[in-house]
Amino acid sequence: EAGVAQSPRYKIIEKRQSVAFWCNPISGHATLYWYQQILGQGPKLLIQFQNNGVVDDSQLPKDRFSAERLKGVDSTLKIQPAKLEDSAVYLCASSLVAQGWNTEAFFGQGTRLTVV
Amino acid sequence: GEDVEQSLFLSVREGDSSVINCTYTDSSSTYLYWYKQEPGAGLQLLTYIFSNMDMKQDQRLTVLLNKKDKHLSLRIADTQTGDSAIYFCAVIQTGANNLFFGTGTRLTVIP
């Protein structure tokens, strides 16, 4: 079974520039998550999709971050404009259904963003 | 919101047992997980426990849950160098859809 694919693996941009990350979840997984992991911290949920609808985006800084999941499969996360504090690893995860008992979320390798 | 706390570092000698601790604040947390993160890799689910259990054993891994103290621990028996990684505790609250992660504990296994 192919895992969660993310690209790019690394990205370095200057502050105020824009950047986009892409995620391809495991085939058939209805739920997709984007997490932000700042160095030395645990991942924090940015947004959760169920198919192509948003379930939870309460922690997404909507003035600069946006995400979409067209056709309920692939997803993109965009930051525009980027700030220094956005430097982090952005993790995508997917699961068959929303997380709960015996429902494992599978994580991609992440995209490491450095804003200079 | 939920606060999930872990100590940052743990060093053990190869062959010894490792115990990684986690505390959380929300007593309604229903599912509790341990994830492993190796350098440059995503998170890998190791094991999980439901809040009506107080212990779960899975090969070298033992999870202990003290609901009264809101304390979760992961014991790794016969720790190997391949166990060196960052270990995250994560919890889901009743009615919520996402994981709250701890800060992670970096386990270093000394040969």
Side-chain angles (χ1 to χ4, degrees):
Chain A
E1 171 180 84
V4 176
Q6 290 188 247
S7 67
R9 287 295 311 277
Y10 305 94
K11 190 74 177 178
I12 301 175
I13 61 171
E14 294 182 350
K15 59 183 179 184
R16 291 188 289 275
Q17 285 188 320
S18 301
V19 65
F21 313 127
W22 174 81
C23 173
N24 187 324
I26 292 173
S27 177
H29 280 194
T31 307
L32 184 147
Y33 312 81
W34 282 103
Y35 284 87
Q36 181 193 56
Q37 185 178 15
I38 293 172
L39 186 65
Q41 299 181 18
K44 287 185 172 56
L45 181 73
L46 290 174
I47 188 167
Q48 176 185 345
F49 292 94
Q50 184 75 18
N51 296 309
N52 59 351
V54 175
V55 172
D56 183 354
D57 64 355
S58 57
Q59 300 301 309
L60 188 74
K62 298 181 188 63
D63 58 334
R64 298 182 301 106
F65 285 64
S66 64
E68 60 182 8
R69 191 183 183 198
L70 298 176
K71 300 179 183 177
V73 182
D74 293 3
S75 177
T76 55
L77 175 70
K78 296 179 183 176
I79 308 175
Q80 180 180 7
K83 292 185 176 181
L84 296 176
E85 58 261 36
D86 298 331
S87 294
V89 175
Y90 290 84
L91 294 165
C92 178
S94 70
S95 60
L96 273 173
V97 293
Q99 285 172 323
W101 177 244
N102 211 27
T103 300
E104 181 176 353
F106 294 83
F107 284 79
Q109 290 182 296
T111 296
R112 181 177 296 277
L113 173 68
T114 303
V115 182
V116 298
Chain B
E2 174 89 73
D3 282 330
V4 182
E5 297 288 338
Q6 299 177 240
S7 52
L8 292 179
F9 303 100
L10 176 66
S11 292
V12 300
R13 293 210 172 270
E14 190 174 16
D16 288 350
S17 292
S18 308
V19 180
I20 303 171
N21 295 301
C22 169
T23 58
Y24 56 97
T25 54
D26 193 323
S27 58
S28 71
S29 296
T30 53
Y31 313 116
L32 303 105
Y33 301 78
W34 284 103
Y35 280 85
K36 178 182 181 183
Q37 188 176 40
E38 294 180 274
L43 291 131
Q44 174 196 356
L45 179 64
L46 286 178
T47 187
Y48 54 86
I49 191 168
F50 190 52
S51 58
N52 67 353
M53 301 165 67
D54 51 22
M55 188 184 90
K56 180 180 180 183
Q57 187 150 3
D58 185 0
Q59 299 182 334
R60 292 191 297 122
L61 305 178
T62 303
V63 179
L64 295 177
L65 174 61
N66 182 328
K67 274 194 74 176
K68 174 175 169 290
D69 294 339
K70 300 192 206 57
H71 182 268
L72 183 73
S73 67
L74 174 69
R75 179 176 179 269
I76 306 172
D78 186 26
T79 312
Q80 302 298 305
T81 55
D83 295 323
S84 292
I86 301 176
Y87 290 80
F88 289 94
C89 167
V91 303
I92 289 183
Q93 298 165 310
T94 303
N97 296 307
N98 61 280
L99 291 163
F100 286 91
F101 283 88
T103 48
T105 299
R106 182 180 294 274
L107 173 65
T108 302
V109 182
I110 304 164

